[in-house]
Amino acid sequence: MAEQENTPSTSRTYDAIVIGSGITGGMAAKELTENGMQVLMLERGTPLEHGAGYIGEHAQNWTVPFANLPNYQANEKDYATQSKNYAFDEATRQHFIKDSDEPYIQDGDTQFEWIRGARVGGRSLMWGRQVYRWAPRDFEANAIDGYGIDWPIRYDDLAPWYSHVEKFIGVTGKKEGLDYFPDGEFQKPMEMYALEKRIKGRLARHASDLTYTMGRAAVLTEQLGDRAPCHYCGPCPRGCSTGSYFSTQSSTLPAALKTGRLTLRTNSAVQKILHDPATGRATGVQIRDMKSGAQMTYKSRIIFLNASTIHSAQILLNSKSAAFPAGLANSSGVVGRYLMDHNEHGTNTGVFFDDIDRYFTGNRPNGTYIPRFRNIRGQDDDAEFIRSYGFQCNTVRLDHRFTMHQKGIGAGYKDMLRKPGPWVFAMVAFGEMLPNADNRVTLDPTTRDAFGMPIVHIAMRFGENEHKMRADMKRQADRILKAAGAAFIATASDKAEPISAIHEMGTVRMGKDPKTSALNGWNQSHDVPNLFVTDGAAMASSGHVNPSLTYMALTARAADYAAKLWKRGEL
Amino acid sequence: MTMERRGFLVGVAAAMGGTVYSSGLGAMLADAANPAVPIPMIARGAWINQPVDVFTPEKRALVSAMSETLLPADDTPGAIDAAVPKFLELLYDQWMAEPERALFDAGVSDADKRAQTGHGATFANCDAGAQRAVLEAIEDEQGDHPWFAFGGQSAVDERVDIPFMALFKEIAVTGFFMSEVGAQQVLRYAPMAGVFDGDTSLSPDQSSWPATPFM
């Protein structure tokens, strides 16, 4: 690999600065450098070397501190929110921020668990890896039912970029040929458990309105460049030195470095994007060096803001000037507003007595999926809600972690714990959340965090549609688990629990009208033409499938557009 | 240790069908000797291989006997073979806060008192039948707590109004099956498969694989 050590320079003017090195920042850096641009990527977190940095990778259970029991004293002190994340354990702690360094304030009765990455690669290191295309209807829904503003693009605008991204990141999945659940560029699908094959057969007979398919994940099942197929060790978020799941480290960062045109500066907390009212353009960024504490300025012709939904809004709102008293690129007043996350409905569990004599080899880092089946083409007669949802399903053979609760002392108890318990099939619904101006991010007027930024207030509530949808999710989960043949069924409460799908989006939304949106159809600021925002902040609605693939496709498309303007000398 | 670790890595590479490993693992091996870089967990010894001395000899004997009563050696190793007593002493020293220490102390003292009152000897000096009867009696009294429901709550996550037996079972069972002895000799040693097959056979006498986190 022709890696080049580029030293960051405050005197030169970069072709582009990319703020953030996560899923979209890495993609922006790759696309822009491959288009010939000299790029400075700024990451406020610490470096993390692919492979050598993954200190928890392949850890034997007995080497993990406290046998991986949650270290609650350390967690309560420094990781009160992060430690609630499914990917947080003693072997991944180093990938997460310390909540004590950068607290946030939940206004009203908000219960929003804001999960954040602390290293180069951001949350691409410990993401859930599920990747689904939006359907054509998702881009049309705002225009059809009037909730939210119309998207400035349609599925056909993004489809080639979905393909572009899928081929690069590597996606395993099974084609289903459904227009409301578009197929992508897939490597071969992963295998199902015996129980899943049985459930697929039962659903085909007893719930034939459903499709049940393998999960689509950014995990390789075939060689891709120098990235190896998955070796099924299991806990991806501990890091993967074979690059078998997509992360910045495994994929976009090496590609960008290979061009020789990327400069990566870590420990660099962007405070503000600087703006010249004479030209109407952004001129660069002001950062705080987290090691020395020094304030520095870097200049560029183009800026890609990829700090993640809430941080991107935070940076814009903090970039106030006489020209933009409410924050940069915020003449519309929408920046920070219309915060959405997915309407995640807890774990619906079915216990099965089938396939007790079937077992497994290897740990599959992917589940199964039931695509949308409600409001597919129009409004279902019996649906009291608009938009839709899908079920992510996980099959688990219970072990001592689940069976230790049974009564018993001595040899019988021990023998019971040694043996696998029944199979469990767990379904989690992810539904669309409608945009609402009152769900928003604002800045605290006085308090700053360890990165020198005003701390964030988050106000976030579900609305009536989300609650009605959750009631339907609960009913449908019960119907599906019955059709699947579960012996015991426990559905989750349909009461709204903390909004924590880690799919936050919408704070710098795209739209056709500069009065009601911050970005145009190219993720380009209406107000500041050399500023692009291509992370989740840009979303004008939430859809209901896992959003990272869409963010990446939007990023690649916007980078291509920006590079064309740059080549023509317009930016 | 080094040989074992290298052997494991070679096994991983072989399992992957001869795929050339990226440079990361080579660097990881090199870094294992460099004190400035955190040692990867795979290159570390067992977490319990560190000194601890916070229990009196009497308390150590009591905790040891209680652990072995819960998870006795039979055709497979038991709690003492897997160093569960030492694991609990390390948790007491490094992991528990005062409320959990108080709950733990009260619980083990209660067991010892019951042994003396009911069976005329300290718990550690009772025979196996009496030891088991004492722990069963405690569980009977505490067993209405929601922890004892199917797939019940986590004592570690909840930590409010948790009965002693819930805490004791959760930490002893976890320490036992996550240990090197527990994972390899009580459960089945599972070198990295390199493949996924969701439809293998399981005979009635076969155990689970060691636990892998769901992420």
Side-chain angles (χ1 to χ4, degrees):
Chain A
M1 190 184 296
E3 290 185 21
Q4 182 182 312
E5 288 293 326
N6 291 324
T7 310
S9 164
T10 53
S11 57
R12 70 186 287 186
T13 299
Y14 289 91
D15 297 323
I17 284 174
V18 175
I19 303 170
S21 68
I23 278 180
T24 63
M27 186 62 69
K30 168 195 175 287
E31 296 292 322
L32 295 170
T33 54
E34 287 182 348
N35 269 297
M37 298 167 77
Q38 294 286 341
V39 173
L40 172 66
M41 181 157 68
L42 298 169
E43 166 56 50
R44 58 177 212 157
T46 51
L48 182 70
E49 191 183 341
H50 182 49
Y54 304 147
I55 63 170
E57 186 184 13
H58 299 154
Q60 303 279 24
N61 283 345
W62 52 90
T63 66
V64 181
F66 317 117
N68 215 12
L69 286 166
N71 185 5
Y72 57 89
Q73 294 199 63
N75 293 352
E76 282 175 3
K77 180 171 169 284
D78 286 327
Y79 299 92
T81 298
Q82 309 306 307
S83 61
K84 293 175 185 169
N85 183 253
Y86 64 89
F88 184 97
D89 77 356
E90 291 305 302
T92 62
R93 173 189 304 277
Q94 64 278 3
H95 297 163
F96 291 83
I97 62 120
K98 282 187 175 180
D99 292 300
S100 49
D101 279 348
E102 36 181 341
Y104 60 99
I105 294 170
Q106 308 208 16
D107 286 343
D109 55 2
T110 298
Q111 293 179 288
F112 181 85
E113 290 170 6
W114 187 17
I115 305 300
R116 289 166 280 175
R119 313 297 296 270
V120 168
R123 292 184 295 191
S124 78
L125 289 166
M126 61 288 197
W127 69 312
R129 309 168 300 284
Q130 291 288 300
V131 284
Y132 299 94
R133 291 187 180 203
W134 272 32
R137 192 179 170 85
D138 291 322
F139 294 94
E140 298 155 6
N142 285 6
I144 291 170
D145 60 37
Y147 288 90
I149 50 167
D150 189 15
W151 275 85
I153 59 170
R154 289 292 182 264
Y155 178 78
D156 289 344
D157 296 309
L158 208 53
W161 297 101
Y162 274 133
S163 291
H164 176 82
V165 166
E166 286 159 349
K167 284 184 207 160
F168 176 75
I169 70 174
V171 178
T172 173
K174 184 173 178 297
K175 294 197 176 193
E176 295 290 350
L178 303 169
D179 60 347
Y180 55 85
F181 182 59
D183 295 329
E185 313 284 341
F186 296 147
Q187 295 195 346
K188 65 185 178 192
M190 291 181 180
E191 292 293 321
M192 284 187 164
Y193 288 98
L195 179 70
E196 291 169 341
K197 294 177 194 164
R198 187 181 296 278
I199 288 172
K200 188 173 170 67
R202 287 177 179 161
L203 293 181
R205 290 192 297 281
H206 306 306
S208 60
D209 57 319
L210 306 179
T211 300
Y212 177 55
T213 187
M214 264 313 300
R216 298 173 176 180
V219 181
L220 303 184
T221 52
E222 300 168 30
Q223 187 81 22
L224 183 65
D226 58 5
R227 295 172 55 203
C230 178
H231 51 275
Y232 297 98
C233 73
C236 301
R238 291 179 175 182
C240 184
S241 55
T242 63
S244 302
Y245 74 88
F246 171 84
S247 66
T248 294
Q249 270 83 353
S250 74
S251 307
T252 47
L253 183 57
L257 286 172
K258 201 172 165 183
T259 66
R261 288 187 282 273
L262 179 74
T263 304
L264 170 60
R265 195 185 198 285
T266 57
N267 288 302
S268 304
V270 171
Q271 313 283 294
K272 284 178 181 176
I273 297 171
L274 305 172
H275 177 258
D276 179 1
T279 62
R281 302 278 174 97
T283 57
V285 299
Q286 179 191 312
I287 69 156
R288 172 184 287 195
D289 183 301
M290 292 309 296
K291 277 181 171 165
S292 68
Q295 301 271 12
M296 306 166 85
T297 299
Y298 287 94
K299 299 191 286 282
S300 70
R301 293 171 64 180
I302 294 171
I303 289 174
F304 267 67
L305 179 54
N306 299 87
S308 82
T309 292
I310 293 172
H311 281 310
S312 288
Q314 181 190 32
I315 289 168
L316 291 179
L317 292 173
N318 196 44
S319 304
K320 286 180 188 155
S321 63
F324 289 104
L328 187 66
N330 192 24
S331 66
S332 64
V334 302
V335 172
R337 292 190 182 270
Y338 304 102
L339 176 65
M340 299 170 280
D341 195 348
H342 280 147
N343 185 8
E344 182 181 354
H345 174 247
T347 306
N348 302 283
T349 307
V351 180
F352 287 76
F353 291 149
D354 299 290
D355 296 310
I356 289 299
D357 63 343
R358 308 318 296 161
Y359 206 52
F360 62 95
T361 297
N363 299 298
R364 191 184 67 191
N366 187 11
T368 51
Y369 192 69
I370 298 172
R372 70 184 81 188
F373 52 93
R374 296 292 264 155
N375 300 336
I376 293 174
R377 292 201 168 75
Q379 188 70 18
D380 290 350
D381 290 341
D382 64 341
E384 294 176 3
F385 58 95
I386 59 169
R387 316 281 173 111
S388 197
Y389 60 87
F391 280 107
Q392 293 189 30
C393 310
N394 283 295
T395 302
V396 175
R397 190 71 190 259
L398 299 187
D399 60 24
H400 61 84
R401 288 170 290 183
F402 302 88
T403 55
M404 67 178 172
H405 302 274
Q406 295 184 44
K407 287 185 191 166
I409 305 288
Y413 178 66
K414 179 183 146 197
D415 194 51
M416 180 275 295
L417 293 174
R418 281 185 65 230
K419 306 276 177 64
W423 290 98
V424 159
F425 184 72
M427 306 170 59
V428 180
F430 285 78
E432 181 150 3
M433 177 178 180
L434 297 177
N436 175 345
D438 295 332
N439 288 335
R440 65 183 299 199
V441 173
T442 50
L443 302 188
D444 192 89
T446 52
T447 315
R448 289 178 184 262
D449 66 20
F451 292 88
M453 292 294 281
I455 66 170
V456 162
H457 289 246
I458 300 174
M460 178 79 146
R461 295 190 65 178
F462 281 148
E464 193 186 354
N465 196 61
E466 285 77 47
H467 290 292
K468 286 180 172 169
M469 184 186 281
R470 294 170 82 87
D472 194 65
M473 291 163 165
K474 183 178 167 74
R475 276 193 299 275
Q476 296 290 342
D478 186 64
R479 170 179 79 105
I480 294 167
L481 288 167
K482 279 177 181 149
F488 296 103
I489 293 170
T491 53
S493 162
D494 54 4
K495 252 179 49 194
E497 295 299 325
I499 303 166
S500 314
I502 327 176
H503 295 166
E504 67 271 14
M505 59 181 106
T507 50
V508 191
R509 69 182 182 180
M510 295 168 78
K512 294 169 175 167
D513 183 352
K515 291 197 184 66
T516 58
S517 63
L519 307 172
N520 67 17
W522 301 101
N523 295 74
Q524 180 183 29
S525 162
H526 291 299
D527 295 337
V528 184
N530 62 338
L531 171 64
F532 293 79
V533 184
T534 72
D535 57 20
M539 303 295 279
S541 64
S542 76
H544 67 271
V545 296
N546 306 55
S548 294
L549 181 70
T550 298
Y551 302 168
M552 283 192 268
L554 286 170
T555 299
R557 180 173 173 272
D560 179 70
Y561 176 76
K564 280 181 181 138
L565 296 184
W566 171 76
K567 280 174 189 160
R568 292 205 298 262
E570 292 172 32
L571 285 182
Chain B
M1 183 59 213
T2 305
M3 282 308 291
E4 284 172 26
R5 181 161 49 78
R6 280 185 186 281
F8 176 71
L9 295 175
V10 169
V12 172
M16 289 169 50
T19 307
V20 178
Y21 240 93
S22 62
S23 59
L25 274 172
M28 191 187 276
L29 287 168
D31 279 347
N34 176 2
V37 176
I39 299 173
M41 289 180 179
I42 193 174
R44 297 179 198 172
W47 183 74
I48 56 167
N49 289 345
Q50 56 177 309
V52 62
D53 186 16
V54 292
F55 287 173
T56 62
E58 296 75 25
K59 190 171 174 186
R60 202 168 282 143
L62 170 60
V63 170
S64 192
M66 289 174 68
S67 304
E68 187 70 11
T69 302
L70 180 68
L71 302 163
D74 43 21
D75 355 339
T76 57
I80 291 172
D81 300 316
V84 169
K86 188 179 182 190
F87 176 73
L88 298 181
E89 190 169 347
L90 279 163
L91 287 191
Y92 190 93
D93 185 31
Q94 299 184 20
W95 179 82
M96 291 184 193
E98 277 316 314
E100 286 71 41
R101 283 187 189 149
L103 177 64
F104 188 85
D105 286 343
V108 297
S109 299
D110 175 44
D112 211 21
K113 213 170 291 165
R114 286 171 191 248
Q116 291 172 39
T117 312
H119 304 278
T122 63
F123 189 95
N125 286 318
C126 282
D127 63 33
Q131 288 172 331
R132 191 171 147 175
V134 167
L135 294 194
E136 283 176 344
I138 295 172
E139 184 163 83
D140 274 350
E141 288 171 22
Q142 301 179 347
D144 287 340
H145 189 274
W147 187 89
F148 292 91
F150 178 81
Q153 58 176 223
S154 161
V156 175
D157 286 348
E158 302 291 331
R159 300 212 318 285
V160 177
D161 296 330
I162 288 291
F164 165 75
M165 189 54 75
L167 175 69
F168 181 65
K169 275 190 156 179
E170 190 159 323
I171 58 182
V173 167
T174 303
F176 182 65
F177 286 107
M178 296 289 277
S179 72
E180 194 162 7
V181 167
Q184 296 192 356
Q185 297 177 42
V186 185
L187 304 174
R188 291 185 280 167
Y189 181 53
M192 201 177 304
V195 296
F196 174 76
D197 182 347
D199 196 358
T200 65
S201 64
L202 180 78
S203 66
D205 58 334
Q206 280 182 310
S207 77
S208 301
W209 301 125
T212 304
F214 309 108
M215 290 183 177

